[in-house]
Amino acid sequence: MSESNLVARSDVDEEQVSGAEVIAQALKTQHVEYMFGIVGIPVTEIAVAAQKMGIRYVGMRNEQAACYAASAIGYLTGRPGVCLVVSGPGLIHALGGMANANMNCWPLIVIGGSSERSQETMGAFQEFPQAVRSSTYGRPGACYVDIPADFVNLQANVNSIKFMECCLPPPVSMAEPSAVCAAASVIRHAKKPLLIIGKGAAYAHAEEGIRKLVEQCGLPFLPTPMGKGVIPDNHPNCVGAARSRALQFADVIVLFGARLNWILHFGLPPRYQPHVKFIQVDICAEELGNNVKPAVTLLGDINAITKQLLEQFDKTPWQYPPESSWWRTLREKMKSNEAASKELASQKSPTMNYYTVFYHVQEQLPRDCFVVSEGANTMDIGRTVLQNYLPRHRLDAGTFGTMGVGLGFAIAAALVAKDRNPGQRVICVEGDSAFGFSGMEVETICRYNLPIILLVVNNNGIYQGFDADSWKELLKFGDATVVAPPVCLLPNSHYEQVMTAFGGKGYFVQTPEELQKSLRESLADTTKPSLINIMIKPQATRKTQDFHWLTRSNM
Ligand code: ADP
Ligand code: MG
């Protein structure tokens, strides 16, 4: 070997890499595409190294919102997003995002820079592949990786580092064949069947199979809030508009990736028949039999199990009679519910109510847009009016009922849209209170020039507020800390100015005409974000419901 060759060899041998670069390389190898966070000592170098590796870095204004954004990436793409935080307060802020991701069963990796490593804690680099694996295998969830500060800037010989390969995609498990037969038989004998489609089905990309099952067997289905769009909301078999009725009288319910938690009223009377037969399809064994004694449990991947069920119905074709009294009941209820909300939407009072707002939004909503939503009535009523036509295109407060997720989710969705489907829009429908939690992320939206349309449905308060005159009257009786109802927020707040402050477009609208016009303009402009601050009646409420939204336990 010539001398010059030797020199070159030893150069390679001694090629130095920093801890930050090793971390970035490990993330890249695991196909991580996006990182959100707020930098500081000791994690700044990690963000810089990640960018150099081709990972997109989005600097946010609060770790909580960063963590929400990273978790939404996990749900939308199936690969975990990364949230990068500093230790101490940064990590504490991120806790909200980790809890929310866990509750939603969404993969997420949080990387925190901790203090200098004490002598006994070592081997953190090799924890990356494991973090990706444990966040995506089985029931998805959040993972935390702690990086000692001195690891980040440590220089090491590249040959001394054991780089890991990308972990395999999650293994697909199928349900026990006998259980599949049993489930098919229970469905065949149902008098009042119902499929419930949850966000687990959306995450599992089971849309094709579930749609086939619905159409082939003629079954009514009900999407959960984020299950909306797995099959389009306007599908003739969607009974979303008769939700309570469908739950209350079904005799067989198949749950595709939806838990019987508070959102589904625990699966118990009075919201359900006492002897309703549940067929649970879930990837998490511990979930099966929670709150109810299921008739059949199908443990495994929803997509695979749906195919197993389809095989049964291919072998022995069966269709639920389309003219059954169950279908009649459901259709009648849907018609009357739809008429009732149309009636509320067309009320001609000077100030708008929720229904008027959402009807006008729905009219202009692009079919392929992402709909992000949070708030109390804003989210609940919005969900019934705003339609989803595509799977994984609705993001909201979720299982944890978390407020403050909206802007982070919208940012994540906008990045995914930009990279995978340019021109696709993100509409983020916020209550005024919900907007406040992460409102400063508007600066993030403007900095990265993401053409998100933010709608703030403003009723001057949490649940309900006061109009400006009543607020003034109220303050005559004393200091706001003493006399103001805790639900009140400042009346007529100009949230749209948060957007104009950073160069986006802001609108303050009070009439349906103004709303229509501002929406048209915002949708036409694909280059800029906008915020439409929509004033509604401070005391506007929901149409009367058969049941209180939160079923109190009477088990
Ligand atoms: P929703 O809020 O829509 O009712 P939940 O979050 O309550 O949905 O339930 C989602 C369920 O889906 C969780 O219990 C989770 O374990 C399950 N799940 C997630 N991914 C899969 C998958 N690939 N196959 C089967 N079940 C899954
Ligand atoms: Mg409000």
Side-chain angles (χ1 to χ4, degrees):
M1 216 179 268
S2 75
E3 205 189 340
S4 67
N5 259 349
L6 257 180
V7 171
R9 271 267 348 247
S10 78
D11 264 2
V12 171
D13 275 355
E14 280 161 29
E15 191 190 327
Q16 300 285 299
V17 284
S18 69
E21 287 164 330
V22 173
I23 293 163
Q25 173 68 61
L27 293 173
K28 185 71 187 174
T29 309
Q30 299 301 324
H31 302 323
V32 166
E33 290 178 86
Y34 304 95
M35 180 183 274
F36 302 83
I38 299 181
V39 295
I41 299 166
V43 299
T44 311
E45 288 82 356
I46 299 178
V48 174
Q51 281 183 313
K52 277 198 193 131
M53 273 289 157
I55 295 173
R56 308 277 213 108
Y57 177 78
V58 179
M60 306 273 291
R61 302 302 300 264
N62 184 304
E63 290 89 350
Q64 201 175 48
C67 207
Y68 294 144
S71 72
I73 287 291
Y75 176 62
L76 296 175
T77 70
R79 293 302 288 174
V82 166
C83 176
L84 182 70
V85 299
V86 298
S87 59
L91 179 59
I92 299 296
H93 285 173
L95 277 180
M98 284 193 260
N100 191 63
N102 256 356
M103 294 300 280
N104 276 344
C105 313
W106 291 357
L108 163 72
I109 297 176
V110 177
I111 298 179
S114 68
S115 51
E116 303 273 311
R117 112 197 85 135
S118 60
Q119 277 155 347
E120 69 272 30
T121 52
M122 296 287 290
F125 293 165
Q126 280 150 28
E127 282 166 20
F128 276 109
Q130 292 157 36
V132 172
R133 209 156 45 80
S134 54
S135 74
T136 54
Y137 279 32
R139 174 183 267 177
C143 260
Y144 174 63
V145 183
D146 198 57
I147 307 285
D150 52 340
F151 264 36
V152 175
N153 292 314
L154 183 94
Q155 295 286 322
N157 186 321
V158 77
N159 294 329
S160 70
I161 294 162
K162 188 177 164 217
F163 286 98
M164 307 292 281
E165 280 177 38
C166 183
C167 65
L168 294 169
V172 175
S173 51
M174 296 202 282
E176 232 181 315
S178 62
V180 177
C181 286
S185 159
V186 172
I187 296 170
R188 281 178 211 276
H189 291 99
K191 298 217 162 53
K192 298 175 179 177
L194 178 68
L195 306 187
I196 297 182
I197 303 175
K199 64 179 175 292
Y203 182 75
H205 287 244
E207 51 268 17
E208 214 185 291
I210 295 185
R211 187 179 184 143
K212 217 166 152 203
L213 189 68
V214 161
E215 290 176 352
Q216 191 170 323
C217 300
L219 295 165
F221 76 89
L222 176 74
T224 66
M226 282 196 254
K228 269 163 72 75
V230 168
I231 305 179
D233 281 337
N234 64 346
H235 191 283
N237 291 33
C238 178
V239 296
R243 182 180 187 270
S244 293
R245 189 62 58 97
L247 297 180
Q248 201 183 354
F249 295 107
D251 69 342
V252 169
I253 295 180
V254 191
L255 292 161
F256 286 106
R259 283 169 286 182
L260 291 173
N261 56 18
W262 64 279
I263 295 181
L264 285 176
H265 321 289
F266 313 112
L268 296 171
R271 304 297 304 262
Y272 292 80
Q273 289 298 301
H275 300 296
V276 51
K277 289 183 176 151
F278 283 105
I279 300 173
Q280 277 182 291
V281 187
D282 206 290
I283 204 160
C284 174
E286 288 85 340
E287 189 58 41
L288 304 172
N290 190 18
N291 292 339
V292 299
K293 183 167 172 260
V296 186
T297 58
L298 300 172
L299 176 65
D301 176 67
I302 295 169
N303 197 25
I305 293 173
T306 307
K307 287 185 186 137
Q308 286 182 290
L309 282 169
L310 276 168
E311 274 167 27
Q312 294 293 317
F313 291 111
D314 281 339
K315 238 191 286 168
T316 320
W318 168 83
Q319 202 191 25
Y320 180 69
E323 295 311 323
S324 60
S325 67
W326 178 226
W327 262 124
R328 235 181 358 259
T329 315
L330 293 171
R331 290 209 182 97
E332 272 162 22
K333 188 64 187 169
M334 287 197 282
K335 232 192 221 155
S336 69
N337 278 351
E338 277 157 10
S341 40
K342 263 203 194 111
E343 159 78 29
L344 283 161
S346 62
Q347 273 178 12
K348 288 272 176 281
S349 66
T351 41
M352 290 187 278
N353 64 41
Y354 287 106
Y355 293 88
T356 349
V357 169
F358 293 130
Y359 271 92
H360 289 296
V361 175
Q362 172 58 28
E363 274 181 359
Q364 293 194 39
L365 213 59
R367 278 178 85 91
D368 68 346
C369 72
F370 284 96
V371 179
V372 179
S373 187
E374 59 177 335
N377 277 327
T378 298
M379 181 176 72
D380 291 340
I381 302 172
R383 183 170 53 234
T384 66
V385 183
L386 304 178
Q387 305 273 297
N388 282 90
Y389 305 99
L390 294 171
R392 300 168 293 284
H393 277 62
R394 183 185 166 86
L395 297 160
D396 68 21
T399 307
F400 221 12
T402 312
M403 295 300 134
V405 292
L407 276 75
F409 284 0
I411 289 168
L415 290 170
V416 169
K418 199 170 168 180
D419 290 347
R420 288 164 162 71
N421 194 7
Q424 191 184 14
R425 301 305 293 267
V426 178
I427 318 287
C428 181
V429 189
E430 301 272 309
D432 54 333
S433 160
F435 175 70
F437 286 79
S438 304
M440 198 48 74
E441 300 302 340
V442 169
E443 186 274 332
T444 312
I445 290 172
C446 289
R447 184 163 17 107
Y448 294 101
N449 201 23
L450 302 168
I452 294 166
I453 300 173
L454 281 164
L455 306 179
V456 177
V457 183
N458 191 348
N459 68 348
N460 301 336
I462 306 171
Y463 307 118
Q464 290 189 355
F466 275 17
D467 60 43
D469 290 342
S470 321
W471 178 252
K472 229 189 252 161
E473 280 304 304
L474 184 76
L475 293 186
K476 289 184 184 156
F477 294 95
D479 189 77
T481 52
V482 179
V483 297
V487 292
C488 283
L489 296 171
L490 188 70
N492 293 343
S493 290
H494 282 269
Y495 295 111
E496 75 284 0
Q497 292 180 6
V498 179
M499 184 57 92
T500 52
F502 303 113
K505 283 208 158 170
Y507 300 89
F508 182 79
V509 307
Q510 291 174 294
T511 65
E513 294 70 30
E514 289 169 354
L515 173 59
Q516 287 168 317
K517 184 162 175 286
S518 58
L519 260 175
R520 245 193 326 272
E521 286 181 19
S522 303
L523 283 164
D525 190 346
T526 54
T527 64
K528 255 194 183 160
S530 49
L531 190 155
I532 308 176
N533 185 8
I534 308 164
M535 300 309 297
I536 62 163
K537 225 185 282 171
Q539 310 286 326
T541 52
R542 209 173 167 182
K543 75 181 160 64
T544 326
Q545 302 288 299
D546 293 340
F547 293 95
H548 188 268
W549 68 275
L550 188 60
T551 307
R552 298 269 145 56
S553 50
N554 51 351
M555 305 173 209

